[in-house]
Amino acid sequence: MGICTSWSELNPCNLPTRDLASAVRRGVTDAGGIALEFPTISLSEALVHPTTMLLRNLMAMDVEEMITASPIDAVVLLNGCDKTVAAQLVGALSAGKPALSLGSGHRAAGGWRGQTLTIDDSWRLADERRTGRIDDDAWARLEGCLSPTPGVCNVLGTAVTLAMVAEILGFALPGSALLPAASPQRLAVAEATGRRAVEAARRGPAPRTLVTREALHDAWRLVCAVGGSTNAAIHLQALAGRADIDVPMDELRRISETTPTLVRVRPNGPHSLEELEREGGVPAVVRELADVMHLDRPTAGATTWRDIVRDLPAAEGPALRPRTDPIDPRGAIAVLRGSLAPSGGVIKRSAATPELDGHVGPAVVFDGLDDLRARIDDPALPVTKDSVLVLRNVGPIGAPGMPEAGAIPIPANLYRAGVRDMCASPTGG
Ligand code: FES
């Protein structure tokens, strides 16, 4: 049994995978297998420059080649930060041996000046620092409080979204995606994952039988229902490509339009990942969407989703709303097409105030990141609260590699005037 780890001191989000590897090994041994741990490259969103997206496929190839070339019958993938999940799933899918996935789990929330902080607060705090509301000493103290434990970003960003995707596709055990990094239950799940991997080595399934059109649809429906990361569209397309399945943007749009938004977890609302986990996590969301999900697909636990949701109670909130009383009858992610994105783009409308849902305004265009940095805080920038900020040349070709530039800072003169929200597209957690 291979344990493919993306542990690295250069990737704080993935540090918990070292303990998880030991627990997986105990499970493998318990089930009569022999576990051998091996490393691959690891990609940290916070530390890799200029962008991890340049290296996702390199990591996927590393994972694929190591699984293919090594004398192992199955593999447990240990991941965490955004691209490490995507790269491991893509690599394992191509390698073809049975694979189970387990993530680091999200880090604890921070605290500062009486506020509970999650990582999405960092944009607002950075705006406050740029506009002189937080001085150097306070910023240094804040940096020590924002992320108090290892683990992935503690909001519905890309890492947690992809952990949920791994669960719905059948790579991660049901109920595992939202367990916090510090939870002892995560170690228990790691042991169970090791045991289950030995069984999978004997009887499958192979990853290609998991990644079907129906499974990809269910994954996107889950993302649209919970308000997950828009980056999921990019990584699901990569998985679909490896499985020789074409999932056009219009198909994603139709799914979004027929999926209610059910979850109000940061950055889409006031609730926490812990609340969503206590209310049942991925299985509870699947239960609410039972009429539009493919429940006879397998989970990673040798059951079907129908088995998992059969006896679950109906959602009552506050983090997860029932299907009969959604936050929005439309999905949290909108798929758009127009002159700025002729091939299609995605936008997370659930994270914006409703007034930003539809908007017409004058464009303020930046030619790239250097131009953005040079002018965004210029008092002479011709920008109003009705402006549409356009950042050119940060796509897959222009940047290159498509850095996450969705979070354009709010221009300093608008921030000082009280503007605190804007809607970002096409990428961003
Ligand atoms: Fe690693 Fe967000 S920086 S999960």
Side-chain angles (χ1 to χ4, degrees):
M1 181 66 52
I3 302 176
C4 177
T5 181
S6 50
W7 184 92
S8 165
E9 282 187 327
L10 280 170
N11 193 347
C13 303
N14 291 34
L15 290 180
T17 55
R18 177 165 277 180
D19 288 342
L20 293 178
S22 301
V24 169
R25 185 187 299 276
R26 288 195 294 276
V28 170
T29 306
D30 186 40
I34 299 171
L36 299 166
E37 186 179 342
F38 63 91
T40 65
I41 61 170
S42 187
L43 303 174
S44 163
E45 294 302 307
L47 300 182
V48 168
H49 184 78
T51 165
T52 52
M53 195 58 191
L54 266 182
L55 304 176
R56 183 201 63 185
N57 286 1
L58 178 65
M59 182 174 172
M61 286 189 277
D62 189 356
V63 169
E64 174 186 345
E65 297 300 337
M66 284 303 296
I67 295 173
T68 303
S70 303
I72 56 176
D73 297 314
V75 65
V76 174
L77 310 164
L78 295 181
N79 45 57
C81 203
D82 307 7
K83 307 300 186 295
T84 64
V85 195
Q88 285 193 340
L89 292 178
V90 167
L93 177 59
S94 292
K97 296 180 185 178
L100 278 95
S101 172
L102 182 62
S104 297
H106 57 277
R107 65 186 80 119
W112 186 69
R113 291 182 173 171
Q115 311 165 51
T116 298
L117 297 180
T118 48
I119 198 67
D120 53 324
D121 288 308
S122 58
W123 307 118
R124 170 180 59 82
L125 293 164
D127 285 333
E128 292 196 13
R129 174 157 166 75
R130 283 173 41 245
T131 50
R133 289 169 160 75
I134 297 178
D135 64 21
D136 288 351
D137 287 347
W139 186 255
R141 282 197 300 281
L142 171 62
E143 282 184 326
C145 316
L146 191 58
S147 292
T149 70
V152 302
C153 288
N154 39 24
V155 294
L156 263 171
T158 307
V160 168
T161 301
L162 291 184
M164 297 172 87
V165 164
E167 185 174 323
I168 189 87
L169 290 176
F171 286 96
L173 289 179
S176 62
L178 295 177
L179 293 170
S183 159
Q185 286 168 282
R186 189 163 279 280
L187 292 176
V189 167
E191 291 180 1
T193 300
R195 284 193 292 273
R196 173 70 191 124
V198 174
E199 210 180 313
R202 295 189 177 116
R203 281 186 279 278
R208 282 209 178 220
T209 65
L210 298 177
V211 181
T212 60
R213 181 178 299 280
E214 290 74 24
L216 292 163
H217 283 188
D218 287 353
W220 181 244
R221 209 176 274 291
L222 176 74
V223 173
C224 291
V226 302
S229 168
T230 51
N231 290 332
I234 298 168
H235 301 308
L236 282 172
Q237 293 281 358
L239 276 168
R242 293 293 178 113
D244 295 321
I245 299 169
D246 185 27
V247 184
M249 293 297 280
D250 283 339
E251 213 162 289
L252 300 183
R253 181 179 50 75
R254 279 194 296 277
I255 292 169
S256 174
E257 285 172 359
T258 54
T259 304
T261 302
L262 300 176
V263 169
R264 287 296 257 183
V265 161
R266 291 184 176 206
N268 308 314
H271 301 292
S272 66
L273 291 172
E274 285 80 0
E275 288 173 280
L276 182 57
E277 196 276 321
R278 280 197 296 273
E279 292 173 29
V282 171
V285 181
V286 174
R287 184 210 173 277
E288 293 306 312
L289 297 172
D291 59 321
V292 284
M293 286 279 194
H294 301 88
L295 295 184
D296 293 319
R297 289 192 307 102
T299 72
T303 56
T304 64
W305 280 104
R306 192 176 301 284
D307 299 327
I308 294 293
V309 305
R310 184 171 292 127
D311 298 323
L312 290 182
E316 291 181 345
L320 172 62
R321 295 261 284 268
R323 175 86 156 91
T324 49
D325 182 26
I327 292 149
D328 190 323
R330 310 162 303 169
I333 313 283
V335 178
L336 311 173
R337 197 183 286 277
S339 56
L340 287 180
S343 307
V346 287
I347 195 163
K348 192 193 281 194
R349 57 182 159 215
S350 58
T353 42
E355 307 82 71
L356 294 177
D357 207 9
H359 180 74
V360 175
V364 176
V365 180
F366 300 94
D367 253 342
L369 291 170
D370 289 342
D371 186 31
L372 176 77
R373 283 188 207 104
R375 293 198 292 136
I376 190 76
D377 292 337
D378 184 345
L381 185 72
V383 66
T384 72
K385 68 177 180 50
D386 294 321
S387 299
V388 177
L389 307 186
V390 179
L391 178 57
R392 301 178 67 232
N393 299 316
V394 292
I397 297 171
M402 205 164 187
E404 291 190 33
I408 299 176
I410 294 174
N413 51 12
L414 286 188
Y415 197 87
R416 291 194 184 98
V419 175
R420 292 290 184 273
D421 193 14
M422 74 178 170
C423 203
S425 175
T427 65

